[in-house]
């Protein structure tokens, strides 16, 4: 999907998200499935990154983030089913490309801790943006509350990865 392309059908959501109106069930399922595909991509990516780094601390952080993303995905599956929808299978095509590229870089020895942290930060940027887009819509209150908690977790994880990345950069800078 192009970076500037909105993943939510504009016509349906514009009609469904008029002030005071909650999205239709079909639109809610679509939004949840979009978040689900992203959560699955992120869980898989963090598992890959866990295997690619050597530092024990990074392994712990990435394993924890993979579990967090997997828990979010499981919760999203339950929400989709509760709404009467069919959970999306797998992740996104873009996520598959990123995972493939991560494996290629690792096989070539080009996956440094710094590059892995940069990739994680980009993935977290995308996750936070997905939640912001979803939360800007008129979702049913129970679903909104769950997505707000997931968004908070994604933001907290993003801050943790940024801190690790910036700390690594500062350490390397001080060694120069």
């Amino acid at each position: 999907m192009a970076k500037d392309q909105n993943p939510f059908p504009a016509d349906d959501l514009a009609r469904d998200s008029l002030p005071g109106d909650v999205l239709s069930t079909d639109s809610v399922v679509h939004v949840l499935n979009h978040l689900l595909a992203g959560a699955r991509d992120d869980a898989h990516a963090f598992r890959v990154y866990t295997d690619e780094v050597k530092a024990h601390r990074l392994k712990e952080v990435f394993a924890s983030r993979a579990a967090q993303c997997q828990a979010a995905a499981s919760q999203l599956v339950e929400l989709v089913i509760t709404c009467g929808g069919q959970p999306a299978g797998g992740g996104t095509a873009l996520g598959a490309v990123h995972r493939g590229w991560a494996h290629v870089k690792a096989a070539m020895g080009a996956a440094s801790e710094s590059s892995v942290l940069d990739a994680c930060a980009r993935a977290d940027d995308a996750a936070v943006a997905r939640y912001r887009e979803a939360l800007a819509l008129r979702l049913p209150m129970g679903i909104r509350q769950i997505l707000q908690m997931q968004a908070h977790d994604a933001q907290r994880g993003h801050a943790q990865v940024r801190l690790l990345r910036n700390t690594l950069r500062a350490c390397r800078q001080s060694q120069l």
Side-chain angles (χ1 to χ4, degrees):
M1 180 174 301
K3 186 176 182 177
D4 59 347
Q5 184 179 358
N6 188 338
F8 309 121
D11 293 339
D12 290 345
L13 296 183
R15 181 187 70 242
D16 292 336
S17 62
L18 296 172
D21 290 346
V22 175
L23 291 176
S24 70
T25 302
D26 287 345
S27 293
V28 170
V29 167
H30 182 80
V31 169
L32 294 173
N33 272 327
H34 175 69
L35 292 170
L36 172 59
R40 285 179 175 155
D41 284 345
D42 294 344
H44 184 78
F46 279 113
R47 285 191 297 272
V48 167
Y49 296 144
T50 300
D51 294 338
E52 290 180 7
V53 295
K54 291 180 177 53
H56 182 68
R57 174 69 179 137
L58 290 180
K59 285 184 178 292
E60 286 177 346
V61 168
F62 294 159
S64 173
R65 295 283 285 123
Q68 176 190 18
C69 294
Q70 186 58 51
S74 295
Q75 204 170 29
L76 291 164
V77 165
E78 290 177 26
L79 289 174
V80 169
I81 292 169
T82 299
C83 289
Q86 179 68 33
T92 64
L94 185 57
V97 169
H98 285 290
R99 288 190 301 275
W101 180 242
H103 285 301
V104 168
K105 283 173 56 175
M108 294 172 41
S112 68
E113 289 177 349
S114 179
S115 69
V116 169
L117 285 167
D118 285 341
C120 289
R122 285 190 302 275
D124 281 337
D125 284 339
V128 168
R130 282 191 303 272
Y131 280 106
R132 275 197 191 119
E133 289 172 350
L135 289 168
L137 303 171
R138 301 284 298 177
L139 297 164
M141 187 53 67
I143 291 173
R144 171 173 294 286
Q145 289 172 334
I146 291 169
L147 295 185
Q148 284 172 329
M149 289 186 312
Q150 288 186 1
H152 176 74
D153 290 344
Q155 289 170 336
R156 191 176 63 233
H158 184 40
Q160 182 182 31
V161 166
R162 277 194 331 247
L163 178 63
L164 289 168
R165 182 189 64 188
N166 294 342
T167 300
L168 179 64
R169 285 180 180 168
C171 287
R172 290 204 172 137
Q173 200 66 8
S174 68
Q175 293 174 353
L176 294 179

